[in-house]
Amino acid sequence: PRPAGDRPERRARPPARSPAGGAVDTDDLVVTGQSALDAGDFATAVVAFRKLAYLEADHSMAHLHLGLALEASGDAGAARRAFATARALLDAGDQGRAEAMLEGYQVGELVRLLDAKLGPG
């Protein structure tokens, strides 16, 4: 791994594109997924967060959201895979990006949550 000071700056990313080529607002997917979770509509939440995880494949928070929706829907195996992906992305350097979305929580708390979700195996 590179020392932190040797990492290139991240540039603003263009809007995500669907496989059909149209722009997708990932913030809308988060809102849709969270609203569906809050309403108990787990199928809609899973669809929204699957799209988010596809479009933001390198973002740990997208996989965390997907894991939580899958867990709520009763799909423990798929939830575990999503949590494992989120944890691996954090280990690979996604901490800063994740922390920006945690609204006051620390990345260490997210790591502990994911480790608890993953359990001993």
Side-chain angles (χ1 to χ4, degrees):
R2 293 182 179 154
D6 289 348
R7 290 193 180 134
E9 284 188 38
R10 287 190 181 225
R11 294 183 182 162
R13 292 167 44 144
R17 298 244 172 236
S18 72
V24 175
D25 186 343
T26 55
D27 290 339
D28 286 347
L29 291 173
V30 172
V31 170
T32 299
Q34 191 58 55
S35 295
L37 270 180
D38 292 346
D41 183 358
F42 305 130
T44 298
V46 167
V47 168
F49 290 135
R50 273 200 173 120
K51 288 178 183 178
L52 180 66
Y54 173 81
L55 294 168
E56 296 283 336
D58 63 342
H59 195 339
S60 58
M61 294 300 290
H63 295 278
L64 171 67
H65 285 303
L66 176 57
L68 293 170
L70 288 163
E71 183 179 64
S73 76
D75 192 342
R80 183 175 174 77
R81 288 188 297 276
F83 294 140
T85 300
R87 183 66 170 89
L89 288 166
L90 286 171
D91 287 344
D94 191 42
Q95 295 94 351
R97 193 169 171 202
E99 192 161 27
M101 294 183 67
L102 288 175
E103 300 177 357
Y105 291 95
Q106 301 297 312
V107 170
E109 294 170 284
L110 176 58
V111 168
R112 284 188 292 282
L113 170 70
L114 289 168
D115 287 348
K117 295 286 187 190
L118 292 169

